[in-house]
Every structure is written in C-alpha cells, then in structure tokens.
Amino acid sequence: MMRWSEEMDLALLNALTEEAHKGNRHDGSWTSEAYNNVVELLRNTIGGHITKQHIKNRMKTLKENFGEAYDLFNSLSGFAWDPITRKFDAEEEVWDALIKEKPHAVKWKRMCIKNYDMMKDLFGVDRAKGKTSGSGKDKKKRWEKEIEKEKEKEFIDLNDSFEDTRMHETESNYVDETPLSPSNFDAFSQGQSNQSNGTTANRGAKRKAHVVEPVESQYEKVSVGIDALAEAVKDGNNRSEKLYQVVERQVVVAERQVSVAERQVDIAEKELTIIQQSWPRHYSESDVWNVLTDLGINNNCKMDCYRFFCANE
C-alpha cells in the first residue's frame, strides 16, 4: 500500500488543477489523457511506480475527507478556513451554537484539513450537485431503475376481460319465470328494455375501463422513455459543444506556443550575433592598410599609421 505524504498530495492536487484548466475534465469525470498526464508528472517529480489506480484511490480518500468538512461548513455563515492554521475559524459563540446543534462538529475546532481551498475548487461543484452529478453510465442506470419501478407498479392481467365476459353470460342466462298476462306485458317489456339498456351501458363502461387503463399506462411509459431519450440527446449535444470548446482552447494554446517558440528563435539569433561581434578580430598587414584606406586617412600620415598598427597589435 502506498503512503502519501503532504508533498505528494500537494503535487497531485496541482496536477489535477492543471488538467482541469486544460479542459481534460467533463461533467465531473476525468479523461484518460488527464490520468496519463498526472501519472507521468508525479513519476517525474516524486518518483516511484505510481499508477492510475493509485491516483484514483488517493482521490477517493481526499474526496471523503473533504466532503465531511464541506457538507458541514459550506452552507454556514461565520466560519472561514484559515490557510495558515489549516483549520476552520469562527467566534466562540458561533462554535458553541454549532456544537449544540451538531455535537460531532466539536472535533473540527482542533482538527486540521490541508489544501481545503484547492479541493473546494476541484471537488466542490460535484459535491454540491449531489445526485444530479455523475457520468453518463450513472444517469443511464438511474433511468433504467426508474423504468423498472414503473413496470413493477402495475401488472395487467389480460384474462380479466374473459372472466368479466363469463360473469355477464351467467347473468344473461337468468330468466324470470313469472307468467305474462296482457295487463303486465307492457310493464314487463318496459322494465326489460330499461334493464337491458342499463346492463349494456355497464358492460360498455367496464370493457372501456379495461381497455383504456392499459393504454394510458403504456402511454405514460412511452412518454417517460421519450423524455429520457430527449434528455440523453441534449446531454450528448452539450458534451459535443464542450469538446469543441476544449479543441478551440487547445488550438489557441498551440498557437501561443508557436509564437513563443518563434520569439525564442529570434532572441537566440540576436544573442549569437552579439557573441560573434564581441569576438576579438585579428588583422593582417593588408587588412590594416585596407581599413586605413577606407577611413580616408591622409596619404602623408597613412604610412606612419600603418607602421604603428603593424608594430602594435
């Protein structure tokens, strides 16, 4: 198991901050390029056989320690993290009120948390998002669980309609054996007609309910699926836009690097020229005579100058 020192943690957080500025982090998730760059940097600065898994494990530990402090103090007023003492400072009465409400907070009066400001910049946004954050896979899993719960809420038995049909058939086989007479025939006919109309209406309403309820349920599920699909498409468009912005930033960085390199070449050429000019030059006798001629020295004293320079290098 690798032991992490304070210097190693600081190097890790600095490397992660640099990767975040480069755009190698999307929706709270680090890219493979970010991990590779961090591993290479830590190997060069710290040494040892540091792997991607070591980085992930240490980030998990740092997030857990940071999360406890962030959840407690981030929404509170009157508290401030001191980078010198590495503790949370507040007036004594403010501490007393917090400890009275949350007794477990008493440990933070004396407990240090290192690099809290850097971790807040790196992990604070993800911590604030809570359940709404996560990778695309996490969102897909949550959506699938919600769909499964919807399916479990309602189970449609297609045999219900057949049982209901048999029940109505049994009712329809019932015949009133009371003898009919001319006097009660009209009354019987009217009652039979009303009973028939009522039974037909009840049957229609029941059968309609058996048909409409499953259709409405399926419609709700389809609607949920469409909303989830639309959200996934929107998320994909947002990611594409972010990737495009990252590429643009990388192009700008590359152009700046080229400009810096060109300036460095110009400076090197100027330095070389200055160095060449500062080298001592050895003049031959013919060079001396040519320089005197170029300077326009009077012929009467040119020979004297020539002899003087030849005799005194």
Side-chain angles (χ1 to χ4, degrees):
M1 182 177 180
M2 176 176 290
R3 286 182 171 272
W4 287 78
S5 64
E6 181 178 349
E7 291 76 12
M8 295 170 67
D9 284 340
L10 183 59
L12 172 60
L13 294 174
N14 282 327
L16 292 174
T17 302
E18 180 65 22
E19 293 304 313
H21 290 163
K22 291 180 181 178
N24 292 330
R25 187 188 191 191
H26 308 294
D27 295 335
S29 300
W30 299 93
T31 63
S32 299
E33 181 182 356
Y35 282 116
N36 294 336
N37 293 340
V38 171
V39 169
E40 182 179 0
L41 178 62
L42 293 186
R43 284 178 178 174
N44 294 334
T45 56
I46 299 175
H49 302 287
I50 296 179
T51 64
K52 178 180 178 180
Q53 193 59 44
H54 290 144
I55 301 298
K56 286 188 172 182
N57 292 340
R58 188 55 181 172
M59 287 174 61
K60 181 179 179 181
T61 301
L62 292 175
K63 282 184 177 181
E64 291 175 354
N65 295 336
F66 162 77
E68 182 180 355
Y70 181 86
D71 293 344
L72 180 61
F73 293 104
N74 186 58
S75 59
L76 296 179
S77 59
F79 288 90
W81 182 76
D82 189 339
I84 305 300
T85 62
R86 299 174 181 179
K87 297 179 182 180
F88 286 94
D89 290 340
E91 298 294 335
E92 195 64 30
E93 56 269 20
V94 178
W95 272 113
D96 294 340
L98 175 61
I99 295 172
K100 183 178 180 180
E101 182 180 355
K102 299 178 180 180
H104 66 278
V106 66
K107 67 178 183 180
W108 290 103
K109 289 191 68 175
R110 58 183 181 278
M111 181 180 292
C112 297
I113 177 168
K114 303 172 184 176
N115 306 313
Y116 179 82
D117 52 346
M118 298 181 66
M119 290 191 290
K120 185 176 181 180
D121 292 337
L122 287 171
F123 311 133
V125 176
D126 297 337
R127 193 74 185 179
K129 287 182 179 179
K131 294 183 179 180
T132 60
S133 64
S135 62
K137 293 182 179 179
D138 296 333
K139 294 179 181 178
K140 182 179 179 183
K141 289 181 180 179
R142 290 199 296 268
W143 175 69
E144 290 176 349
K145 289 181 180 180
E146 291 175 359
I147 295 299
E148 289 297 328
K149 290 180 180 179
E150 289 293 330
K151 290 181 179 180
E152 293 174 358
K153 286 182 180 179
E154 182 177 0
F155 176 76
I156 302 172
D157 189 357
L158 298 178
N159 292 324
D160 287 349
S161 58
F162 295 102
E163 294 175 0
D164 184 67
T165 302
R166 289 195 297 271
M167 178 186 70
H168 289 302
E169 289 177 350
T170 303
E171 293 176 353
S172 63
N173 290 332
Y174 172 77
V175 179
D176 189 357
E177 297 180 356
T178 304
L180 296 178
S181 63
S183 60
N184 62 10
F185 180 78
D186 293 336
F188 173 78
S189 298
Q190 183 68 25
Q192 188 70 15
S193 176
N194 293 337
Q195 181 179 358
S196 176
N197 292 337
T199 304
T200 302
N202 291 335
R203 289 179 182 174
K206 291 181 179 179
R207 289 177 182 174
K208 183 178 180 181
H210 282 293
V211 174
V212 171
E213 291 176 359
V215 171
E216 290 180 345
S217 175
Q218 293 297 328
Y219 176 81
E220 291 178 357
K221 293 177 181 179
V222 171
S223 179
V224 171
I226 292 175
D227 292 341
L229 179 60
E231 186 66 24
V233 172
K234 181 180 178 181
D235 184 63
N237 292 336
N238 291 337
R239 289 192 176 187
S240 299
E241 184 178 355
K242 290 181 180 179
L243 288 174
Y244 178 78
Q245 293 174 354
V246 170
V247 172
E248 283 187 331
R249 287 198 296 269
Q250 291 177 343
V251 170
V252 172
V253 171
E255 291 175 349
R256 291 177 180 174
Q257 291 176 346
V258 170
S259 178
V260 170
E262 290 176 348
R263 289 198 298 270
Q264 290 176 343
V265 170
D266 292 338
I267 293 173
E269 290 177 350
K270 292 179 180 179
E271 290 177 347
L272 179 60
T273 301
I274 293 173
I275 292 174
Q276 289 176 345
Q277 293 176 350
S278 64
W279 289 343
R281 181 177 176 182
H282 298 281
Y283 290 85
S284 64
E285 293 180 358
S286 60
D287 291 333
V288 172
W289 183 261
N290 291 333
V291 170
L292 293 174
T293 302
D294 293 336
L295 292 175
I297 302 299
N298 190 293
N299 291 331
N300 295 328
C301 59
K302 181 189 294 185
M303 182 59 68
D304 295 334
C305 293
Y306 171 75
R307 291 172 180 172
F308 175 82
F309 286 117
C310 289
N312 300 278
E313 288 190 0

